[in-house]
Amino acid sequence: MQDYKKVPLTKSDIKTLKYQYRPGILFPLMLLTVGVVVVLGVSSFKPELFRLAGIDFTWFLIAIVIGLASLMHFSMTRNFRADIKNNVKNVFLKPVQKLEEKTDFEAGSGTHYVGQEMNAHKVFYVIVDNIRHSIDQDLFSVLEVEGQIAFHYAPISNYLIKIDRPE
């Protein structure tokens, strides 16, 4: 059985959740830019396409593109905004099954000349619920097998904010 508690979000947690807004800003902005350029381009080269009964629908189509981009933005960021507004996160204490330390190599670092060695670095993992999670060396050094580790989740988006030592 795992322990569970609700705690307030820290400034770092809020920053992490706001960082997840990026796709919700980038993709609607791309839709908005391409949509407005296409509508204005078509209306300048073939203005008769957007005229119906003597009324120009160019600005109406631009308003539709803006509305779709706004709808896309708000639907993509809705859960993260709700998590920040609630200002609460769920912290689960789970038992550590296994700790792993591996040597990994930097991709492409051995391709400069023949005989060059790959750049090696250490990677640290903790296995919890049969899932391997990457952690930093400081956390790895304080953990022990059969001990506990804290998983911080946002309750609405179910986003894993961070993995930390238990308090």
Side-chain angles (χ1 to χ4, degrees):
M1 182 71 185
Q2 58 191 8
D3 293 326
Y4 158 78
K5 63 181 174 179
K6 289 184 178 266
V7 296
L9 291 173
T10 63
K11 288 183 180 185
S12 172
D13 298 336
I14 292 172
K15 184 178 179 181
T16 301
L17 288 172
K18 284 184 178 180
Y19 199 62
Q20 299 306 310
Y21 281 14
R22 291 177 305 152
I25 294 170
L26 180 66
F27 294 127
L29 191 60
M30 289 173 21
L31 170 72
L32 180 68
T33 304
V34 170
V36 169
V37 166
V38 166
V39 168
L40 289 177
V42 169
S43 70
S44 66
F45 288 116
K46 295 212 176 220
E48 65 276 0
L49 286 177
F50 295 147
R51 288 190 184 270
L52 185 61
I55 300 172
D56 187 12
F57 283 96
T58 303
W59 294 109
F60 178 71
L61 292 173
I62 289 175
I64 288 176
V65 169
I66 291 171
L68 287 174
S70 300
L71 182 66
M72 185 178 185
H73 166 71
F74 286 114
S75 66
M76 290 178 76
T77 61
R78 175 184 62 225
N79 292 337
F80 298 112
R81 285 185 284 114
D83 284 330
I84 292 170
K85 183 178 178 182
N86 286 343
N87 199 28
V88 171
K89 65 182 174 183
N90 297 331
V91 178
F92 293 96
L93 294 177
K94 298 181 179 184
V96 175
Q97 291 176 323
K98 187 177 178 184
L99 295 168
E100 291 181 353
E101 177 181 345
K102 294 187 177 187
T103 302
D104 200 3
F105 297 94
E106 182 181 346
S109 64
T111 59
H112 297 295
Y113 57 87
V114 176
Q116 179 182 4
E117 294 189 17
M118 302 278 281
N119 297 334
H121 58 89
K122 295 282 186 186
V123 182
F124 304 95
Y125 297 105
V126 62
I127 298 176
V128 177
D129 296 334
N130 295 326
I131 299 172
R132 179 184 289 151
H133 299 277
S134 179
I135 57 174
D136 61 354
Q137 184 176 4
D138 296 335
L139 180 58
F140 183 82
S141 64
V142 298
L143 291 177
E144 51 191 47
V145 178
E146 303 299 324
Q148 288 190 325
I149 190 167
F151 284 79
H152 299 248
Y153 286 98
I156 296 172
S157 63
N158 203 29
Y159 179 75
L160 177 60
I161 298 172
K162 67 180 176 179
I163 301 172
D164 203 6
R165 61 188 66 145
E167 297 171 355

